[in-house]
Amino acid sequence: MEQKYSIKRCVLHEGAGQLEVFLEVDAVGLQITYFLFYDSDDWASTRAYDLTGALRDDLLSLKEVQDVLESPDVKPYKLELEDYKRDKRGPYSYDI
C-alpha cells in the first residue's frame, strides 16, 4: 500500500514530554502531537489536526496516525522522547 502522507518535520520537546509531527496529506498541512500524560507513565497521541486547529480525520484515520508514529521518519524521535522521559522521571515519578 502506498503511503498517502509526507512527513515535513518533527519537533521534539523533551522537557514537556511532547513530539510534534508536521506532515502533509492531499496538499493539506497537518499536525499530530505525541505526548506523555502528566500524571502517569502512559503515552498518547492526538488525531490529525490542520494548522487552523480543525480535526481532519477525513484525511488521516486514527490507525493512520499510529502508522505515522511508527514510520521510519518519526519512530526515532518517538523512541528518543520515551527514553528521555523514562530516564528523567523513572517509573511513577512526576515532573514538578
Side-chain angles (χ1 to χ4, degrees):
M1 185 167 130
E2 186 177 327
Q3 183 173 294
K4 73 179 219 177
Y5 57 84
S6 171
I7 304 294
K8 297 302 180 187
R9 66 186 166 107
C10 296
V11 179
L12 191 58
H13 303 282
E14 289 179 333
Q18 181 172 297
L19 168 64
E20 295 173 326
V21 181
F22 296 90
L23 61 153
E24 191 171 278
V25 176
D26 295 338
V28 177
L30 300 176
Q31 178 181 348
I32 298 167
T33 303
Y34 180 71
F35 59 94
L36 178 67
F37 283 118
Y38 179 75
D39 59 349
S40 76
D41 289 331
D42 294 328
W43 292 90
S45 67
T46 63
R47 295 199 175 224
Y49 291 85
D50 69 20
L51 302 182
T52 69
L55 176 64
R56 293 304 304 263
D57 55 358
D58 59 318
L59 294 176
L60 214 56
S61 71
L62 186 55
K63 168 73 171 105
E64 290 168 321
V65 166
Q66 294 166 347
D67 291 345
V68 167
L69 293 172
E70 293 300 318
S71 72
D73 292 329
V74 177
K75 191 166 185 171
Y77 294 96
K78 179 183 170 221
L79 294 176
E80 182 179 340
L81 178 62
E82 290 172 351
D83 288 347
Y84 172 83
K85 292 307 281 185
R86 183 174 31 257
D87 292 345
K88 183 174 187 239
R89 291 172 49 151
Y92 308 109
S93 62
Y94 307 115
D95 298 328
I96 306 270

